Amino acid sequence: MDSKFWPTSEDEKKRYLEHNNDVEDIRYQNFLNPIVDLVITNQKTTDKGLDYGAGPGPVVQYLLEKAGFKIKLYDPFFHNYTDNLNQTYDYIILTEVVEHFHSPKDEFFNLTKLLNETGSLYILTHPYDDSINFEKWYYKNDQTHTFFYTKESFVWIKNHFGFKNLEIQDRIVLFKK
């Protein structure tokens, strides 16, 4: 999205507060379970994790802690714990976050600095491809979605930021160092 159309910070926060991110909402838990299950499968409970862009209700943290994981939070609007950005992690989870980036290249650069040498990025988003009718695509209608990704853009991110592996499974994207 052209930067002149970006929402203000106040408008962004207002929009995010409209999301139903209640940790007790079983529908939202079910929506996030595929990425949470992937983390549970690939990571150890002793690994250090960060939920980056956790939103007002940190459902990912809630679900992972139920499974014995400890995970820290960062969200510029709701969990602005900048100390959590001064350490490295075994994994970082971004659920419905990357499409909100105003400067994806800078954001991915910063994210890779937060990962340890064998770290993983778990991303939940809706990649765009040519089979999607953009005019009818629901994902473009959120005014806070400023950037969309294709498979090719994820390959570029993998190569540009030195990830060894990239897996794309429907809406889940996994980068491994």
Side-chain angles (χ1 to χ4, degrees), residues 52 92 105-115 161:
Y52 188 92
I92 300 172
K105 186 176 178 183
D106 294 339
E107 293 281 0
F108 278 99
F109 175 76
N110 291 331
L111 287 165
T112 57
K113 290 190 332 185
L114 292 171
L115 286 173
F161 293 105

Side-chain angles (χ1 to χ4, degrees), residues 7-173:
T8 65
S9 293
E10 296 80 23
D11 288 339
E12 274 188 284
K13 184 173 183 178
K14 182 180 175 184
R15 173 69 178 117
Y16 301 150
L17 285 169
E18 293 173 2
H19 295 162
N20 184 12
N21 290 3
D22 179 2
V23 296
E24 300 295 333
D25 182 348
I26 194 69
R27 290 174 302 159
Y28 195 57
Q29 289 180 20
N30 288 339
F31 174 72
L32 295 175
N33 270 332
I35 197 164
V36 169
D37 290 343
L38 191 60
V39 170
I40 291 170
T41 299
N42 290 333
Q43 304 295 151
K44 300 179 295 239
T45 57
T46 55
D47 285 347
K48 288 177 55 179
L50 176 68
D51 183 355
Y52 188 92
V59 178
V60 167
Q61 180 188 47
Y62 173 78
L63 293 172
L64 283 172
E65 287 187 349
K66 280 178 53 175
F69 287 75
K70 296 288 183 205
I71 184 165
K72 294 187 177 187
L73 301 175
Y74 176 75
D75 187 293
F77 297 104
F78 304 104
H79 307 281
N80 195 8
Y81 310 136
T82 55
D83 285 351
N84 290 345
L85 302 178
N86 296 323
Q87 50 197 290
T88 59
Y89 297 92
D90 299 300
Y91 64 97
I92 300 172
I93 301 175
L94 301 100
T95 56
E96 296 291 317
V97 173
V98 297
E99 60 278 0
H100 300 272
F101 288 167
H102 292 176
S103 181
K105 186 176 178 183
D106 294 339
E107 293 281 0
F108 278 99
F109 175 76
N110 291 331
L111 287 165
T112 57
K113 290 190 332 185
L114 292 171
L115 286 173
N116 69 27
E117 60 191 30
T118 59
S120 297
L121 280 182
Y122 295 83
I123 298 171
L124 178 67
T125 190
H126 193 154
Y128 178 79
D129 66 53
D130 290 337
S131 71
I132 296 171
N133 179 336
F134 190 79
E135 292 303 314
K136 295 181 179 180
W137 192 33
Y138 77 100
Y139 216 56
K140 69 157 176 48
N141 296 332
D142 187 321
Q143 66 189 23
T144 62
H145 289 182
T146 58
F147 198 90
F148 302 115
Y149 300 81
T150 62
K151 179 181 178 184
E152 292 78 16
S153 59
F154 287 126
V155 169
W156 185 90
I157 291 166
K158 173 191 173 279
N159 294 333
H160 187 78
F161 293 105
F163 288 99
K164 292 180 183 161
N165 294 310
L166 166 64
E167 297 173 27
I168 303 173
Q169 303 168 6
D170 192 24
R171 297 188 66 205
I172 297 175
V173 179

